[in-house]
C-alpha cells in the first residue's frame, strides 16, 4: 500500500495516457463511445489485497496487481463494440498481454484486456517511464455497464442492501434484465 501511495500519480498518468491512445483510435474510426480512466483508489487496493489473501493469493509486488490503472470504453450498441474489438485487437495486438470475456448471466458482460506499451511505444522518450506499467481496459455496452454499476454498488458490495434494491423498484428491473 505504501508503494502504491508513492506511485499512484504515475498509474493515474498512465491510465490517462492509455485513454488518450484509445480515444485517438476511436475517433479515427468514427465510433460513438464513452470513455473514462482511473487509478484504483488506495482503499480498494487494500481491500483487494485482503480479499485475495483470504483465498490464498498473496501479492509479492505491486506489478502483480494488473488493474491499478484502468480505462473503460462503453459503446451504445453491441455491433459497435464488436466492430471496435476486431479493429482494436488488430491494431494493438502487441500491447495486449491478457484478454478475458467477463460474463455474469445476472448482470455484466464485457471484454477485459491487460494492456502494456509495446517495445516501440515504450522506447519513446515521453512513454519511457511507463514501460513496466499495465492498464486494465474494460469494453462493454451502455446497457451492461449501467446494470453492472447498479448491481455492483447496491447488490454485490459487502453488506449489499437488498432492501434498497426493493425500495428503488430495482428488483423488478433485475428480473427483467435476467430475462433479457
Amino acid at each position: 500500500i505504501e508503494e502504491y501511495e508513492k506511485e499512484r500519480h504515475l498509474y493515474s498518468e498512465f491510465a490517462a495516457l492509455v485513454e488518450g491512445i484509445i480515444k485517438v483510435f476511436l475517433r479515427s474510426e468514427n465510433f460513438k463511445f464513452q470513455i473514462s480512466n482511473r487509478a484504483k483508489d488506495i482503499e480498494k487496493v487494500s481491500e483487494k489485497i485482503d480479499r485475495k489473501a483470504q483465498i490464498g493469493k498473496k501479492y509479492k509486488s505491486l506489478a502483480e496487481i494488473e488493474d491499478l490503472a484502468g480505462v473503460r470504453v462503453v459503446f451504445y450498441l453491441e455491433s459497435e463494440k464488436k466492430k471496435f474489438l476486431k479493429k482494436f485487437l488488430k491494431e494493438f495486438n502487441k500491447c495486449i498481454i491478457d484478454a478475458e470475456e467477463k460474463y455474469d448471466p445476472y448482470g455484466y458482460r464485457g471484454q477485459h484486456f491487460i494492456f502494456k506499451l509495446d517495445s516501440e511505444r515504450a522506447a519513446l522518450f515521453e512513454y519511457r517511464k511507463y514501460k513496466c506499467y499495465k492498464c486494465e481496459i474494460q469494453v462493454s455496452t451502455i446497457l451492461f455497464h449501467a446494470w453492472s454499476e447498479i448491481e455492483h454498488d447496491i447488490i454485490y458490495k459487502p453488506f449489499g442492501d437488498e432492501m434498497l434494491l426493493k425500495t428503488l423498484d430495482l428488483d423488478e428491473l433485475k428480473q427483467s434484465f435476467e430475462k433479457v
Side-chain angles (χ1 to χ4, degrees):
I1 296 302
E2 288 175 22
E3 183 182 351
Y4 183 60
E5 285 176 333
K6 291 176 188 170
E7 290 190 33
R8 188 172 186 273
H9 72 282
L10 291 170
Y11 282 97
S12 183
E13 289 174 14
F14 185 59
L17 172 72
V18 173
E19 177 185 351
I21 291 169
I22 294 171
K23 198 181 285 186
V24 167
F25 175 74
L26 286 161
R27 287 186 177 145
S28 73
E29 298 288 333
N30 295 316
F31 285 103
K32 291 182 181 175
F33 63 93
Q34 294 177 13
I35 190 167
S36 61
N37 76 77
R38 60 98 182 118
K40 198 170 198 82
D41 291 330
I42 292 168
E43 299 80 31
K44 292 191 180 192
V45 174
S46 181
E47 288 171 13
K48 181 174 188 161
I49 291 169
D50 291 344
R51 188 174 66 248
K52 294 292 184 174
Q54 290 175 5
I55 60 169
K57 167 116 172 113
K58 189 168 185 173
Y59 293 110
K60 295 179 181 122
S61 74
L62 201 55
E64 291 181 42
I65 306 173
E66 297 182 319
D67 64 345
L68 296 175
V71 172
R72 180 174 289 139
V73 185
V74 178
F75 292 94
Y76 298 104
L77 302 171
E78 184 71 23
S79 60
E80 282 284 291
K81 182 185 91 172
K82 287 179 180 178
K83 183 177 155 187
F84 164 77
L85 288 172
K86 185 176 181 181
K87 292 181 178 203
F88 174 76
L89 291 171
K90 184 177 179 187
E91 181 69 24
F92 294 100
N93 66 340
K94 290 192 258 176
C95 298
I96 306 297
I97 59 173
D98 193 21
E100 180 181 3
E101 182 171 2
K102 302 273 187 161
Y103 178 66
D104 175 357
Y106 303 107
Y108 182 74
R109 183 178 199 164
Q111 277 68 31
H112 291 202
F113 303 94
I114 304 302
F115 181 96
K116 186 175 180 184
L117 296 176
D118 61 31
S119 58
E120 293 172 29
R121 283 185 174 95
L124 297 172
F125 175 77
E126 62 271 24
Y127 294 164
R128 209 171 290 152
K129 67 181 173 182
Y130 307 113
K131 71 179 180 182
C132 295
Y133 286 79
K134 297 177 216 167
C135 179
E136 181 182 61
I137 300 170
Q138 300 176 355
V139 181
S140 191
T141 60
I142 200 156
L143 179 62
F144 282 111
H145 172 65
W147 180 250
S148 72
E149 288 293 309
I150 291 168
E151 183 184 51
H152 186 267
D153 290 348
I154 296 175
I155 303 169
Y156 167 73
K157 286 280 189 184
F159 313 111
D161 193 344
E162 289 283 344
M163 289 310 296
L164 179 59
L165 190 69
K166 292 181 185 329
T167 303
L168 297 174
D169 287 332
L170 295 176
D171 56 339
E172 192 173 309
L173 178 61
K174 180 181 179 189
Q175 292 170 4
S176 297
F177 196 88
E178 289 171 8
K179 286 179 187 175
V180 171

